[in-house]
Amino acid sequence: MEQEGDQSYSRRFILILVTVATFLNPFTGSAINLALPAIGAEFSADAATLAWVTSAYLLASVIFLLPAGRLGDSWGKVTVFLAGIVVYTAGSLLTIFTPTMDLLLVFRFIQGMGGAMIYANSVALITHLYPPGERGYAIGLNTTAVYAGLSLGPFLGGALTQFLGWRSIFIVTALLAVPVLFYAGKFPAFLNERQRERFDVAGLILSSALILCLFLGLAWVTTPTGATLLAVSLVLGAVFFRVERSRQNPLLPVTLLEKNRVFAASNAAALINYSATFAVGFLLSLYLQYIRGYEPVAAGTLLLLQPIVQVFVAPAAGRLADRMQPGLVASVGMGITAVGLFGFSLLGEMTPIAAILALLVLLGVGLGIFSSPNTTAIMGCVEKRYYGSASAMVAMMRSLGMMLSMGAVLVVFAVIMGSTTVTPAIFPEFLASLQLIFLAFAVLSAFGVFLSLRRNKC
């Protein structure tokens, strides 16, 4: 193989560069949450507008992930990956000097575009770089970067905002991207193989409209407009699927989903996993501060336990996936996650903190065991020419799951609590909402275990 004969590069060094780039999104995303009050104070923005600081990035990411994956297959994964670093860094630099809230949202959208180009191709690069017997460990290390970003983001984001201002978060983000660009020439040529294919413009238009309607529909789900947008998204979804089935080089790899059972089931498992777990930190943060009276720093410190556990578990799970069927390992992880979520559904006003910490450890173990083996199962069941599309699908399921997770929270809160500000008078309704959401997430994860176990070998 070309990669075996070429000794002009270091696999470990390339893995480090890709992992640093992977770190950018979760770090910035979790750090910026601590800066939202400062941003709101500077631009006199209300809570709904501040929510778009995160949502603008997420929306761009979901829209451009699949196109970025297809471009990686046809234009070269390294080319698109490095272009993503440039776009992401440009968005960060523009954000540092933004004079208005509207421009901040535009620059965050640009960052989301760059992030999509990075994440749609990062796992594909690692999959191409490492053979099956070593791939799980490499993907596990890359997954660890996500958890490390989630862990360090709140601490560093709070410190940077307090001592240097919220814009300093984006200075750090830009500085982290510089080494990846500086060593761009270290990527070996075989990682940038190209397959010239016609780009699916119709698929891009339909998928963008579908995601936009779904996103806004979830945001306004309690209004007639929201319900209408959700209905339109269902119609667009059906049309998009039919169009993609007729395309020779579709944006969405429909053939893989229809004919490759492991690929379809593993992606569905990833969607379920992120849908059931992304909102956990948000919910527990509110619980600890509203119900238990913790200060934000203390609440954040407790919640660090879960990602820290995941940092240590994910590489070990990746190694395990190299030695046995990765789908089975991932199923065990999702089962542990379901147990942890069910435990959180029993939260009360006086639940011992030790019990909450134990559940966070359980959830961290479950998520750490699930993530890298499930990704290994996905990437191990596709041909090399589909690596970009498959990597994009992995990132797509993550981002879509995150969006659905928060959408579910908004729906339950709206139905049980309405638009009332959380005060001691409605603490019982607030607690009931949390319990219902966690129970629904536990049931969803249990279904994910069933689905995950049904997949066969490639």
Side-chain angles (χ1 to χ4, degrees):
M1 295 176 65
E2 181 179 358
Q3 50 263 58
E4 291 175 349
D6 184 1
Q7 300 299 322
S8 63
Y9 72 95
S10 165
R11 286 195 309 179
R12 183 173 295 275
F13 187 68
I14 299 301
L15 177 61
I16 290 173
L17 293 179
V18 175
T19 299
V20 169
T22 303
F23 175 86
L24 293 175
N25 177 45
F27 169 76
T28 307
S30 58
I32 199 66
N33 287 334
L34 275 294
L36 290 178
I39 294 173
E42 178 173 336
F43 295 119
S44 301
D46 58 26
T49 303
L50 287 176
W52 276 101
V53 174
T54 299
S55 298
Y57 182 97
L58 186 59
L59 179 60
S61 181
V62 175
I63 288 175
F64 289 103
L65 276 168
L66 285 177
R70 289 300 296 152
L71 289 176
D73 286 333
S74 59
W75 290 3
K77 287 178 279 292
V78 175
T79 298
V80 177
F81 175 81
L82 293 176
I85 299 291
V86 172
V87 174
Y88 195 95
T89 304
S92 298
L93 293 174
L94 289 170
T95 301
I96 295 170
F97 302 104
T98 184
T100 66
M101 188 68 185
D102 290 340
L103 281 177
L104 173 61
L105 299 183
V106 171
F107 298 152
R108 284 290 286 162
F109 190 87
I110 292 174
Q111 274 193 310
M113 293 172 59
M117 298 166 74
I118 295 170
Y119 289 107
N121 292 279
S122 58
V123 175
L125 288 171
I126 294 172
T127 302
H128 201 165
L129 191 64
Y130 282 84
E134 304 173 44
R135 186 177 297 157
Y137 177 66
I139 290 176
L141 289 178
N142 190 254
T143 303
T144 300
V146 176
Y147 302 146
L150 293 172
S151 301
L152 294 174
F155 275 118
L156 295 182
L160 288 170
T161 301
Q162 181 173 345
F163 296 109
L164 299 175
W166 64 268
R167 298 167 194 266
S168 63
I169 294 174
F170 297 96
I171 296 177
V172 171
T173 299
L175 290 176
L176 286 172
V178 169
V180 184
L181 294 174
F182 184 79
Y183 290 105
K186 297 294 184 180
F187 285 86
F190 73 85
L191 289 180
N192 209 31
E193 292 177 354
R194 304 181 182 189
Q195 302 166 21
R196 293 295 184 183
E197 298 173 342
R198 179 174 296 181
F199 189 75
D200 183 11
V201 177
L204 173 60
I205 294 173
L206 283 171
S207 65
S208 299
L210 163 63
I211 293 166
L212 185 61
C213 289
L214 178 61
F215 194 94
L216 294 178
L218 289 172
W220 304 330
V221 70
T222 57
T223 67
T225 300
T228 301
L229 287 172
L230 288 177
V232 171
S233 71
L234 291 176
V235 175
L236 287 173
V239 173
F240 175 63
F241 193 82
R242 285 182 63 87
V243 169
E244 294 301 277
R245 289 188 67 182
S246 65
R247 295 279 171 174
Q248 185 176 358
N249 300 303
L251 192 67
L252 179 72
V254 176
T255 303
L256 285 177
L257 292 172
E258 290 184 325
K259 297 181 179 180
N260 191 325
R261 184 173 182 176
V262 174
F263 182 80
S266 298
N267 273 289
L271 176 63
I272 288 173
N273 183 70
Y274 286 107
S275 297
T277 58
F278 178 73
V280 169
F282 171 77
L283 294 171
L284 289 179
S285 175
L286 296 182
Y287 167 81
L288 290 171
Q289 293 181 68
Y290 284 130
I291 304 297
R292 306 306 292 265
Y294 278 70
E295 293 295 327
V297 173
T301 302
L302 287 176
L303 294 178
L304 273 176
L305 184 59
Q306 177 192 319
I308 287 175
V309 170
Q310 291 172 224
V311 165
F312 288 99
V313 173
R319 284 191 180 277
L320 189 60
D322 287 332
R323 291 168 171 76
M324 59 186 298
Q325 188 176 341
L328 180 60
V329 180
S331 300
V332 172
M334 186 171 283
I336 295 173
T337 300
V339 174
L341 291 170
F342 178 76
F344 281 125
S345 73
L346 304 177
L347 281 178
E349 293 185 12
M350 301 303 294
T351 300
I353 294 300
I356 295 175
L357 293 175
L359 289 173
L360 285 171
V361 170
L362 194 64
L363 198 61
V365 170
L367 290 172
I369 292 176
F370 172 82
S371 298
S372 51
N374 192 71
T375 302
T376 302
I378 293 173
M379 300 304 297
C381 276
V382 298
E383 300 174 32
K384 186 166 64 176
R385 65 192 182 99
Y386 287 122
Y387 279 172
S389 295
S391 178
M393 282 290 290
V394 173
M396 180 74 170
M397 293 302 102
R398 178 172 60 235
S399 297
L400 188 58
M402 291 160 60
M403 188 174 74
L404 293 175
S405 188
M406 289 305 297
V409 171
L410 291 175
V411 170
V412 174
F413 277 5
V415 171
I416 296 182
M417 296 191 301
S419 58
T420 307
T421 304
V422 179
T423 62
I426 63 166
F427 276 0
E429 289 83 359
F430 173 72
L431 191 57
S433 299
L434 260 62
Q435 293 167 344
L436 178 60
I437 294 168
F438 279 126
L439 181 60
F441 285 167
V443 172
L444 183 61
S445 291
F447 173 73
V449 175
F450 171 77
L451 176 67
S452 185
L453 287 173
R454 286 178 61 85
R455 53 185 159 188
N456 298 322
K457 293 183 179 179
C458 301

